[in-house]
Coordinates of all heavy atoms in Angstrom, one line a residue:
M22 N -18.2 12.0 8.1 CA -16.8 12.0 8.6 C -15.8 12.2 7.4 O -15.9 11.5 6.4 CB -16.5 10.7 9.3 CG -15.2 10.7 10.0 SD -15.0 9.3 11.1 CE -14.5 8.0 9.9
A23 N -14.9 13.1 7.5 CA -13.9 13.3 6.4 C -12.7 12.4 6.6 O -12.2 12.2 7.7 CB -13.5 14.8 6.5
L24 N -12.3 11.9 5.5 CA -11.1 11.0 5.6 C -10.0 11.7 4.7 O -10.2 11.9 3.5 CB -11.4 9.7 4.9 CG -12.2 8.7 5.8 CD1 -12.5 7.5 5.0 CD2 -11.5 8.3 7.0
F25 N -9.0 12.2 5.4 CA -8.0 12.9 4.7 C -6.9 11.9 4.2 O -6.3 12.2 3.1 CB -7.3 13.9 5.6 CG -8.3 15.0 6.0 CD1 -8.8 15.0 7.3 CD2 -8.6 16.0 5.1 CE1 -9.7 16.0 7.6 CE2 -9.5 17.0 5.4 CZ -10.1 17.0 6.7
A26 N -6.7 10.9 4.9 CA -5.6 9.9 4.4 C -6.2 8.9 3.5 O -7.2 8.2 3.9 CB -5.0 9.3 5.7
A27 N -5.6 8.7 2.4 CA -6.1 7.7 1.5 C -5.9 6.3 2.1 O -5.0 6.0 2.8 CB -5.3 7.7 0.2
R28 N -6.8 5.4 1.7 CA -6.7 4.0 2.2 C -6.1 3.1 1.0 O -5.9 1.9 1.3 CB -8.0 3.5 2.6 CG -8.5 4.2 3.9 CD -9.8 3.6 4.5 NE -10.0 4.2 5.8 CZ -9.5 3.7 6.9 NH1 -8.8 2.6 6.9 NH2 -9.8 4.3 8.0
D29 N -6.0 3.7 -0.1 CA -5.5 2.9 -1.2 C -4.8 3.9 -2.2 O -5.3 4.9 -2.5 CB -6.7 2.2 -1.9 CG -6.3 1.3 -3.0 OD1 -5.7 1.7 -4.0 OD2 -6.6 0.1 -2.9
M30 N -3.6 3.5 -2.6 CA -2.8 4.4 -3.5 C -2.0 3.6 -4.5 O -1.4 2.6 -4.1 CB -1.9 5.3 -2.6 CG -1.2 6.4 -3.4 SD -0.1 7.3 -2.3 CE -1.4 8.3 -1.4
E31 N -2.0 4.1 -5.7 CA -1.3 3.4 -6.7 C 0.2 3.7 -6.6 O 0.6 4.9 -6.3 CB -1.7 3.9 -8.1 CG -1.0 3.1 -9.2 CD -1.5 3.4 -10.6 OE1 -2.4 4.3 -10.8 OE2 -1.0 2.8 -11.6
T32 N 1.1 2.7 -6.7 CA 2.5 2.9 -6.7 C 3.1 2.6 -8.0 O 2.4 2.3 -9.0 CB 3.1 1.9 -5.6 OG1 3.1 0.6 -6.2 CG2 2.4 1.9 -4.3
T33 N 4.4 2.8 -8.1 CA 5.1 2.5 -9.4 C 5.7 1.1 -9.4 O 6.4 0.8 -10.3 CB 6.2 3.6 -9.7 OG1 7.1 3.6 -8.6 CG2 5.6 5.0 -9.8
I34 N 5.4 0.4 -8.4 CA 6.0 -0.9 -8.2 C 5.3 -2.0 -9.1 O 4.0 -2.0 -9.0 CB 6.1 -1.3 -6.7 CG1 7.0 -0.3 -6.0 CG2 6.6 -2.8 -6.6 CD1 7.0 -0.4 -4.5
A35 N 6.0 -2.8 -9.8 CA 5.3 -3.7 -10.7 C 4.9 -5.0 -9.9 O 5.6 -5.5 -9.0 CB 6.3 -4.2 -11.8
C36 N 3.8 -5.5 -10.2 CA 3.3 -6.7 -9.6 C 4.2 -7.9 -10.0 O 4.5 -8.1 -11.2 CB 1.8 -7.0 -10.1 SG 1.2 -8.6 -9.6
P37 N 4.6 -8.7 -9.1 CA 5.5 -9.9 -9.4 C 4.7 -10.9 -10.3 O 5.4 -11.7 -10.9 CB 5.8 -10.5 -8.0 CG 5.4 -9.5 -7.0 CD 4.4 -8.6 -7.6
H38 N 3.4 -10.9 -10.2 CA 2.6 -11.9 -10.9 C 2.3 -11.4 -12.4 O 2.4 -12.2 -13.3 CB 1.3 -12.1 -10.1 CG 0.5 -13.2 -10.7 ND1 0.8 -14.5 -10.6 CD2 -0.7 -13.1 -11.4 CE1 -0.1 -15.2 -11.2 NE2 -1.0 -14.4 -11.7
C39 N 1.8 -10.2 -12.5 CA 1.3 -9.8 -13.9 C 2.0 -8.5 -14.4 O 1.7 -8.1 -15.5 CB -0.2 -9.6 -13.9 SG -0.7 -8.2 -13.0
S40 N 2.9 -7.9 -13.6 CA 3.6 -6.7 -14.0 C 2.7 -5.4 -14.1 O 3.2 -4.4 -14.5 CB 4.3 -6.9 -15.4 OG 5.3 -7.9 -15.2
G41 N 1.5 -5.5 -13.6 CA 0.7 -4.3 -13.4 C 1.2 -3.5 -12.3 O 2.1 -4.0 -11.5
H42 N 0.7 -2.3 -12.1 CA 1.2 -1.5 -11.0 C 0.4 -1.9 -9.7 O -0.8 -2.0 -9.7 CB 0.9 0.0 -11.3 CG 1.9 0.7 -12.1 ND1 1.8 2.0 -12.5 CD2 3.0 0.2 -12.7 CE1 2.9 2.3 -13.3 NE2 3.6 1.2 -13.4
L43 N 1.2 -2.1 -8.7 CA 0.6 -2.5 -7.4 C 0.0 -1.3 -6.7 O 0.5 -0.1 -6.9 CB 1.7 -3.1 -6.5 CG 2.2 -4.5 -6.9 CD1 3.3 -4.9 -5.9 CD2 1.1 -5.5 -6.8
H44 N -1.0 -1.5 -5.9 CA -1.5 -0.4 -5.0 C -1.1 -0.8 -3.6 O -1.0 -2.0 -3.3 CB -3.0 -0.4 -5.1 CG -3.6 0.3 -6.4 ND1 -4.6 1.1 -6.4 CD2 -3.1 0.2 -7.6 CE1 -4.9 1.5 -7.6 NE2 -4.0 0.9 -8.4
I45 N -0.8 0.3 -2.8 CA -0.7 0.0 -1.4 C -2.0 0.3 -0.7 O -2.7 1.3 -1.1 CB 0.5 0.9 -0.8 CG1 0.7 0.6 0.6 CG2 0.3 2.4 -1.0 CD1 2.0 1.1 1.2
A46 N -2.4 -0.5 0.2 CA -3.8 -0.4 0.8 C -3.7 -0.8 2.2 O -2.7 -1.4 2.7 CB -4.7 -1.3 0.1
R47 N -4.7 -0.3 3.0 CA -4.6 -0.7 4.4 C -6.0 -0.9 5.0 O -7.0 -0.3 4.4 CB -4.0 0.4 5.3 CG -4.7 1.8 5.3 CD -3.9 2.8 6.0 NE -4.4 4.1 5.8 CZ -5.0 4.9 6.7 NH1 -5.2 4.4 7.9 NH2 -5.4 6.1 6.4
T48 N -6.1 -1.7 6.0 CA -7.3 -1.9 6.8 C -7.0 -1.2 8.1 O -6.0 -0.5 8.3 CB -7.6 -3.3 7.0 OG1 -6.5 -3.9 7.8 CG2 -7.7 -4.1 5.7
C49 N -7.8 -1.4 9.1 CA -7.6 -0.9 10.5 C -6.2 -1.3 11.0 O -5.6 -0.6 11.7 CB -8.7 -1.3 11.4 SG -10.2 -0.6 11.0
H50 N -5.8 -2.6 10.8 CA -4.6 -3.0 11.5 C -3.5 -3.4 10.6 O -2.5 -3.9 11.1 CB -4.9 -4.3 12.3 CG -6.3 -4.7 12.5 ND1 -7.0 -4.5 13.6 CD2 -7.1 -5.3 11.6 CE1 -8.2 -5.0 13.4 NE2 -8.3 -5.5 12.2
E51 N -3.6 -3.4 9.3 CA -2.5 -3.8 8.5 C -2.4 -3.1 7.2 O -3.4 -2.6 6.7 CB -2.5 -5.3 8.2 CG -3.7 -5.7 7.4 CD -3.7 -7.2 6.9 OE1 -2.6 -7.8 7.0 OE2 -4.7 -7.7 6.5
V52 N -1.2 -3.1 6.7 CA -0.9 -2.4 5.4 C -0.4 -3.5 4.5 O 0.4 -4.4 4.9 CB 0.1 -1.3 5.5 CG1 0.4 -0.7 4.1 CG2 -0.3 -0.2 6.5
Y53 N -0.9 -3.6 3.2 CA -0.4 -4.6 2.3 C -0.4 -4.0 0.9 O -0.9 -2.9 0.7 CB -1.4 -5.8 2.4 CG -2.8 -5.5 2.1 CD1 -3.3 -5.6 0.8 CD2 -3.7 -5.0 3.1 CE1 -4.7 -5.3 0.6 CE2 -5.0 -4.7 2.9 CZ -5.5 -4.8 1.6 OH -6.8 -4.5 1.3
M54 N 0.1 -4.8 0.0 CA 0.2 -4.4 -1.4 C -0.9 -5.3 -2.1 O -1.0 -6.5 -1.8 CB 1.5 -4.7 -2.0 CG 2.7 -4.1 -1.3 SD 2.7 -2.3 -1.2 CE 3.0 -1.9 -2.9
R55 N -1.6 -4.6 -3.0 CA -2.6 -5.4 -3.8 C -2.5 -5.0 -5.3 O -2.1 -3.9 -5.6 CB -4.0 -5.2 -3.3 CG -4.5 -3.8 -3.6 CD -6.0 -3.7 -3.2 NE -6.6 -2.4 -3.7 CZ -7.1 -2.2 -4.9 NH1 -7.2 -3.3 -5.7 NH2 -7.5 -1.1 -5.3
C56 N -2.8 -6.0 -6.1 CA -2.8 -5.8 -7.6 C -4.2 -5.7 -8.1 O -4.9 -6.7 -8.0 CB -2.0 -6.9 -8.2 SG -2.0 -6.7 -10.0
P57 N -4.6 -4.5 -8.6 CA -6.0 -4.5 -9.1 C -6.2 -5.2 -10.4 O -7.3 -5.5 -10.9 CB -6.3 -3.0 -9.3 CG -4.9 -2.4 -9.4 CD -3.9 -3.3 -8.7
T58 N -5.1 -5.5 -11.1 CA -5.1 -6.2 -12.4 C -5.4 -7.7 -12.2 O -6.3 -8.2 -12.9 CB -3.8 -6.0 -13.2 OG1 -3.5 -4.6 -13.2 CG2 -3.9 -6.5 -14.6
C59 N -4.6 -8.4 -11.4 CA -4.8 -9.8 -11.2 C -5.5 -10.2 -9.9 O -5.8 -11.3 -9.7 CB -3.5 -10.6 -11.3 SG -2.3 -10.2 -10.0
G60 N -5.6 -9.2 -9.0 CA -6.4 -9.4 -7.8 C -5.6 -10.0 -6.6 O -6.1 -10.3 -5.6
K61 N -4.3 -10.2 -6.8 CA -3.5 -10.8 -5.8 C -3.1 -9.8 -4.7 O -3.0 -8.6 -5.0 CB -2.2 -11.4 -6.4 CG -2.5 -12.7 -7.1 CD -1.2 -13.4 -7.5 CE -1.4 -14.7 -8.3 NZ -2.1 -15.7 -7.4
H62 N -2.9 -10.3 -3.5 CA -2.4 -9.5 -2.4 C -1.0 -9.9 -2.1 O -0.7 -11.1 -2.1 CB -3.3 -9.6 -1.2 CG -4.6 -8.9 -1.3 ND1 -5.4 -8.6 -0.3 CD2 -5.2 -8.5 -2.4 CE1 -6.5 -8.0 -0.7 NE2 -6.4 -8.0 -2.0
F63 N -0.1 -9.0 -1.6 CA 1.2 -9.3 -1.2 C 1.6 -8.7 0.1 O 1.1 -7.6 0.3 CB 2.2 -8.9 -2.3 CG 1.9 -9.4 -3.7 CD1 1.2 -8.7 -4.6 CD2 2.4 -10.7 -4.0 CE1 0.9 -9.2 -5.9 CE2 2.1 -11.2 -5.3 CZ 1.4 -10.4 -6.2
P64 N 2.4 -9.3 0.9 CA 2.8 -8.6 2.2 C 3.6 -7.4 1.9 O 4.5 -7.4 1.1 CB 3.6 -9.7 2.9 CG 3.8 -10.9 2.0 CD 3.0 -10.6 0.8
L65 N 3.4 -6.4 2.7 CA 4.1 -5.1 2.5 C 5.6 -5.4 2.7 O 6.4 -4.7 2.0 CB 3.6 -4.1 3.6 CG 4.3 -2.8 3.6 CD1 4.0 -2.0 2.3 CD2 4.0 -2.0 4.8
R66 N 6.0 -6.2 3.6 CA 7.4 -6.4 3.9 C 8.2 -6.8 2.7 O 9.5 -6.6 2.6 CB 7.6 -7.4 5.1 CG 7.2 -8.8 4.8 CD 7.5 -9.8 5.9 NE 7.1 -11.1 5.6 CZ 5.9 -11.5 5.8 NH1 5.0 -10.8 6.4 NH2 5.5 -12.8 5.5
D67 N 7.6 -7.5 1.8 CA 8.4 -7.8 0.6 C 8.7 -6.7 -0.3 O 9.5 -6.8 -1.2 CB 7.5 -8.8 -0.3 CG 7.3 -10.2 0.4 OD1 7.9 -10.4 1.5 OD2 6.6 -11.0 -0.1
F68 N 8.1 -5.5 -0.1 CA 8.3 -4.4 -1.0 C 8.9 -3.2 -0.3 O 9.2 -2.2 -0.9 CB 6.9 -4.0 -1.6 CG 6.4 -5.1 -2.4 CD1 5.5 -6.0 -1.8 CD2 6.7 -5.3 -3.7 CE1 5.0 -7.1 -2.6 CE2 6.2 -6.4 -4.5 CZ 5.4 -7.3 -3.9
V69 N 9.0 -3.2 1.0 CA 9.4 -2.1 1.8 C 10.8 -1.6 1.4 O 11.1 -0.4 1.3 CB 9.4 -2.4 3.3 CG1 10.4 -1.5 4.1 CG2 8.0 -2.2 3.9
S70 N 11.7 -2.5 1.0 CA 13.1 -2.2 0.7 C 13.1 -1.4 -0.6 O 14.1 -0.8 -0.9 CB 13.9 -3.5 0.6 OG 13.4 -4.3 -0.4
R71 N 12.1 -1.5 -1.4 CA 12.1 -0.7 -2.7 C 10.8 0.2 -2.8 O 10.3 0.4 -3.8 CB 12.2 -1.6 -3.9 CG 11.3 -2.8 -3.9 CD 11.9 -3.8 -4.8 NE 11.1 -5.1 -4.7 CZ 10.2 -5.5 -5.7 NH1 10.0 -4.7 -6.7 NH2 9.6 -6.6 -5.5
A72 N 10.5 0.7 -1.6 CA 9.3 1.6 -1.6 C 9.6 2.9 -2.5 O 10.7 3.4 -2.5 CB 9.1 2.1 -0.1
D73 N 8.5 3.3 -3.2 CA 8.6 4.5 -4.0 C 8.0 5.7 -3.2 O 7.6 5.5 -2.1 CB 8.0 4.3 -5.3 CG 6.5 4.1 -5.3 OD1 5.9 4.2 -4.1 OD2 5.8 3.9 -6.3
A74 N 8.0 6.8 -3.8 CA 7.5 8.0 -3.1 C 6.1 7.9 -2.7 O 5.7 8.3 -1.6 CB 7.7 9.2 -4.0
A75 N 5.2 7.3 -3.5 CA 3.8 7.1 -3.2 C 3.7 6.2 -1.9 O 2.9 6.5 -1.0 CB 3.1 6.5 -4.3
M76 N 4.5 5.2 -1.9 CA 4.4 4.3 -0.7 C 4.9 5.0 0.6 O 4.3 4.9 1.6 CB 5.3 3.1 -0.9 CG 4.7 2.0 -1.7 SD 5.8 0.6 -1.9 CE 5.8 -0.1 -0.2
E77 N 6.0 5.8 0.5 CA 6.5 6.5 1.6 C 5.5 7.5 2.2 O 5.3 7.6 3.4 CB 7.8 7.2 1.3 CG 8.9 6.1 1.2 CD 10.3 6.7 0.8 OE1 10.3 7.9 0.6 OE2 11.2 5.9 0.6
H78 N 4.8 8.2 1.2 CA 3.8 9.2 1.6 C 2.7 8.4 2.3 O 2.2 8.9 3.3 CB 3.4 9.9 0.4 CG 2.3 10.9 0.7 ND1 2.6 12.1 1.3 CD2 1.0 11.0 0.4 CE1 1.5 12.8 1.5 NE2 0.5 12.1 0.9
F79 N 2.2 7.3 1.8 CA 1.1 6.6 2.3 C 1.5 6.1 3.7 O 0.6 6.2 4.6 CB 0.9 5.4 1.4 CG -0.4 4.6 1.7 CD1 -1.6 4.9 1.1 CD2 -0.3 3.6 2.7 CE1 -2.7 4.1 1.4 CE2 -1.5 2.8 3.0 CZ -2.7 3.1 2.3
L80 N 2.6 5.6 3.9 CA 3.0 5.0 5.2 C 3.2 6.1 6.2 O 2.9 6.0 7.4 CB 4.3 4.3 5.1 CG 4.2 2.9 4.3 CD1 5.5 2.3 4.0 CD2 3.3 1.9 5.1
E81 N 3.6 7.3 5.8 CA 3.6 8.5 6.8 C 2.2 8.7 7.3 O 2.0 9.0 8.5 CB 4.1 9.8 6.1 CG 5.6 9.8 5.9 CD 6.1 10.9 5.1 OE1 5.2 11.8 4.8 OE2 7.2 10.9 4.7
N82 N 1.2 8.7 6.4 CA -0.1 8.9 6.9 C -0.6 7.8 7.8 O -1.4 8.1 8.7 CB -1.1 9.0 5.6 CG -0.9 10.4 5.0 OD1 -0.7 11.4 5.6 ND2 -1.1 10.4 3.7
V83 N -0.2 6.6 7.5 CA -0.6 5.5 8.4 C -0.2 5.8 9.8 O -0.9 5.6 10.8 CB -0.1 4.2 7.9 CG1 -0.3 3.0 8.9 CG2 -0.8 3.8 6.6
Y84 N 1.1 6.1 9.9 CA 1.7 6.3 11.3 C 1.1 7.6 11.9 O 0.8 7.5 13.1 CB 3.2 6.5 11.2 CG 3.8 5.2 10.6 CD1 4.9 5.2 9.7 CD2 3.4 4.0 11.1 CE1 5.4 4.0 9.2 CE2 3.9 2.8 10.6 CZ 4.9 2.8 9.7 OH 5.5 1.7 9.2
C85 N 0.7 8.6 11.2 CA 0.1 9.8 11.8 C -1.3 9.4 12.4 O -1.6 9.9 13.5 CB -0.2 10.9 10.7 SG 1.3 11.7 10.3
D86 N -2.0 8.5 11.7 CA -3.3 8.1 12.2 C -3.3 7.4 13.6 O -4.2 7.3 14.2 CB -3.9 7.1 11.2 CG -4.6 7.8 10.1 OD1 -4.5 9.0 10.0 OD2 -5.2 7.1 9.3
R87 N -2.1 6.9 13.9 CA -2.0 6.1 15.2 C -1.8 7.0 16.4 O -1.9 6.5 17.5 CB -0.9 5.1 15.1 CG -1.3 3.9 14.2 CD -0.2 2.9 14.1 NE -0.6 1.9 13.1 CZ 0.2 1.0 12.6 NH1 1.5 1.1 12.8 NH2 -0.2 0.1 11.7
I88 N -1.5 8.3 16.2 CA -1.2 9.2 17.3 C -2.6 9.5 18.0 O -3.5 9.8 17.3 CB -0.5 10.4 16.8 CG1 0.9 10.1 16.3 CG2 -0.5 11.5 17.9 CD1 1.6 11.2 15.6
Ligands
ZN115 ZN1 -0.9 -8.5 -10.7

């Protein structure tokens, strides 16, 4: 099975904990931010107001998948 939409993408948003770059990631039912450097997860809603281009692109794909 081919997966065209990424399930994990690096963003330019700094981790509030360690200042590493956060990744946006998703499971079947939720999207969240995770930090590969310190391993913490953060709710997406805390970062939506400052979404960068990578996050916007990722979220477009999430919504397409639900059609
Ligand atoms: Zn971190």
